[in-house]
Amino acid sequence: MNGKQTDERLPSPWVSLIPLAVLTGLLYIVIRCFGGDAINGGSQIALLSATSVCVMLAIGLYRCRWSVLEEAIIDNIRASASAILILLLIGAIAGTWMISGVVPTLIYYGLQILHPSFFLVASCLICAIVSLMTGSSWTTIATIGVALMGIGEAMGFPEGWVAGAIISGAYFGDKISLLSDTTVLASSTVGVPVFTHIRYMLYTTVPSMLVALGVFAVAGLMLRHGADSQAGLYAEALRETFRITPWLLLVPLATGLLIARKLPAIVTLFLAVVFACVAMLAAQPELVARVAGVGELDFLSGFKGVLMSCFGPTSLETGTPQLDELVATRGMAGMLNTVWLIICAMCFGGVMTGSGMLRSLTAIFLRFVRRAFSAVASTVGAGIFFNLCTADQYISIILSGRLFRDLYASRGLEERLLSRSVEDSATVCSVLIPWNSCGMTQATVLGVSTFVYMPYCIFNIVSPLMSLLVAAVGWKIKPGK
């Protein structure tokens, strides 16, 4: 047997469904048993159990060599290495930006400026603009999103609505940004110039965003909140706990300048941590001493306090229980369960790919492609399906693009229609899947379960549906139109 065995004997689609069915069943049981604590080990065991089922079927029924499966697992984990590093740095940002007073300052001024009735719409638009400029939904959510989450909680909004507005705006801006890695990846995988790809995406993303803004506008007017009293108490408690000063806004400003210079995400995030550490020692020496567990700050205790704010967890007493929970940080340590989950998800995606089971299942989509609508529907379905199986948006983009590229050409359909359909599904929907690297990351960063924010990510839900609607009516899908 050689490494091409899966090409010679492709697994049956029915057999290939077994690991996915096992994973779905186990995750359902785990979530019912542990709820929001499922990420602390239960979900990882479910993924590894489904992985072992896939391995047994591949080796037992199709004589697939373990070395082939192991190589596929290693390739998957290698592909996710940068995402893991970014996730750890986001944890460090969450800790340092909180203890330094950057996030509390943003929350404090946000409470003074943002009117509760338009808070959800404003949050969505702010995140869209920041994500458009930065090209990164992850960075936007981890910085501005965290601050907006705190403002929303202070105003008394349900956390699901606030997280949904933040994620919707961040992903919209990401999709139409020239700096977005997923936008560039989707266009380059299919072979479409990035400017053409973005212009063509506007026909589905802009209507989807308008629908989202409409929903958030209505929700902001109808939802009950306690802004008049609670927000004032939060603002006063923040001022008593932290040294609130406009100078701290230089940290996010400097981070934005680094992003504008198009530095790599890892470098930018690391420098954002460094800036926050300097601001922490300059603006919050008393807090650093409290974090370090000493009464007076010196060089060693300052170094200890800075490190503890990076790797966490840390907690502060503000006199307001809800605010205590808000300003408590987990740092890098709070990201370890998510890293563990990503690695387990990559193992499952690797054996599904290496065994040929994933290819066997995707062949089902190809049977339904006849016209433009069926092509788009199959592409959208495949993008969501790949996210479910591989738990990674980058792998989903590449697989969807490569799978349908020749098929679109044989049907006389333009490549830009494929690139748009791929990004409307493989990228936008990734955050809605609890065990996907995007879903896990945003749930961890925002402190809200994926199942809680999922129904309120209006843009992410409407975008693939809008792609189908545009294809169904035949608008902007014909060559040369």
Side-chain angles (χ1 to χ4, degrees):
M1 281 282 183
N2 54 39
K4 297 180 180 179
Q5 57 192 344
T6 53
D7 292 329
E8 298 169 2
R9 188 184 179 192
L10 204 62
S12 162
W14 294 107
V15 174
S16 302
L17 278 172
I18 294 176
L20 191 60
V22 170
L23 175 61
T24 304
L26 289 176
L27 286 174
Y28 174 78
I29 295 172
V30 166
I31 292 169
R32 285 293 300 270
C33 292
F34 298 101
D37 293 329
I39 194 176
N40 295 335
S43 297
Q44 290 88 333
I45 297 300
L47 282 162
L48 291 179
S49 299
T51 301
S52 65
V53 170
C54 181
V55 170
M56 288 187 290
L57 291 173
I59 295 177
L61 296 181
Y62 300 101
R63 300 294 186 269
C64 182
R65 290 193 302 174
W66 166 249
S67 59
V68 175
L69 302 177
E70 185 178 24
E71 183 68 23
I73 292 174
I74 293 172
D75 288 343
N76 256 21
I77 295 177
R78 184 185 297 118
S80 67
S82 61
I84 291 174
L85 285 175
I86 290 174
L87 187 59
L88 291 174
L89 285 172
I90 287 174
I93 284 180
T96 55
W97 280 37
M98 184 64 74
I99 303 300
S100 65
V102 172
V103 170
T105 298
L106 290 170
I107 294 174
Y108 179 84
Y109 289 124
L111 290 173
Q112 316 299 319
I113 297 172
L114 295 175
H115 192 279
S117 298
F118 305 104
F119 170 73
L120 293 178
V121 171
S123 297
C124 189
L125 287 173
I126 290 171
C127 288
I129 294 171
V130 174
S131 189
L132 174 63
M133 293 187 298
T134 63
S136 173
S137 56
W138 282 31
T139 303
T140 300
I141 294 170
T143 52
I144 302 299
V146 172
L148 290 171
M149 197 73 197
I151 296 171
E153 290 182 11
M155 290 182 173
F157 282 100
E159 58 183 7
W161 276 106
V162 181
I166 293 168
I167 292 172
S168 292
Y171 272 77
F172 169 76
D174 188 300
K175 293 313 101 211
I176 60 174
S177 174
L178 287 171
L179 305 178
S180 170
D181 54 355
T182 53
T183 299
V184 173
L185 179 62
S187 60
S188 60
T189 299
V190 180
V192 176
V194 66
F195 285 102
T196 302
H197 171 69
I198 291 175
R199 284 198 302 269
Y200 207 56
M201 280 200 67
L202 293 177
Y203 295 113
T204 56
T205 54
V206 170
S208 299
M209 187 61 170
L210 291 176
V211 172
L213 291 175
V215 172
F216 291 133
V218 174
L221 294 172
M222 305 218 21
L223 287 173
R224 300 179 64 182
H225 49 74
D228 292 339
S229 57
Q230 194 175 30
L233 292 175
Y234 274 32
E236 186 60 30
L238 285 172
R239 179 168 283 282
E240 291 178 358
T241 306
F242 299 91
R243 183 174 296 170
I244 304 295
T245 169
W247 290 107
L248 288 171
L249 299 179
L250 290 175
V251 174
L253 178 61
T255 303
L257 291 176
L258 292 178
I259 294 171
R261 299 277 299 183
K262 300 181 182 179
L263 291 180
I266 293 177
V267 175
T268 299
L269 293 174
F270 175 78
L271 291 176
V273 174
V274 174
F275 296 155
C277 290
V278 173
M280 186 191 313
L281 293 172
Q284 317 290 344
E286 298 85 0
L287 283 183
V288 176
R290 285 169 56 185
V291 170
V294 298
E296 187 176 348
L297 192 68
D298 55 23
F299 176 78
L300 288 179
S301 60
F303 184 72
K304 179 182 177 181
V306 167
L307 287 183
M308 289 183 67
S309 68
C310 287
F311 61 74
T314 59
S315 59
L316 297 171
E317 294 183 2
T318 64
T320 305
Q322 295 86 352
L323 191 57
D324 290 347
E325 183 178 348
L326 174 63
V327 300
T329 66
R330 293 173 292 175
M332 287 186 176
M335 300 295 174
L336 294 182
N337 280 333
T338 305
V339 171
W340 177 19
L341 192 57
I342 289 175
I343 292 174
C344 293
M346 293 302 105
C347 291
F348 178 71
V351 296
M352 286 291 289
T353 303
S355 64
M357 292 186 185
L358 193 59
R359 202 146 47 87
S360 175
L361 290 172
T362 55
I364 299 174
F365 292 102
L366 302 182
R367 299 176 185 174
F368 300 100
V369 178
R370 297 291 182 271
R371 299 170 183 253
F373 176 76
S374 59
V376 171
S378 297
T379 306
V380 170
I384 297 173
F385 177 76
F386 287 138
N387 269 307
L388 289 167
C389 289
T390 66
D392 183 77
Q393 64 173 341
Y394 299 101
I395 297 174
S396 302
I397 291 171
I398 294 171
L399 290 177
S400 300
R402 290 177 179 175
L403 176 67
F404 287 94
R405 186 172 181 177
D406 293 338
L407 189 64
Y408 270 62
S410 67
R411 299 292 190 272
L413 300 173
E414 286 193 319
E415 291 178 333
R416 60 180 182 170
L417 177 60
L418 173 58
S419 66
R420 183 180 73 188
S421 302
V422 166
E423 192 150 17
D424 278 340
S425 56
T427 305
V428 175
C429 295
S430 59
V431 73
L432 303 178
I433 299 170
W435 58 88
N436 188 282
S437 57
C438 292
M440 292 183 289
T441 298
Q442 308 319 334
T444 303
V445 170
L446 296 177
V448 183
S449 168
T450 311
F451 293 103
V452 172
Y453 71 63
M454 186 191 306
Y456 308 106
C457 296
I458 310 301
F459 172 77
N460 305 75
I461 295 173
V462 173
S463 187
L465 298 177
M466 189 64 66
S467 191
L468 295 176
L469 177 61
V470 169
V473 300
W475 183 50
K476 296 297 181 182
I477 64 171
K478 302 298 183 183
K481 298 291 184 181

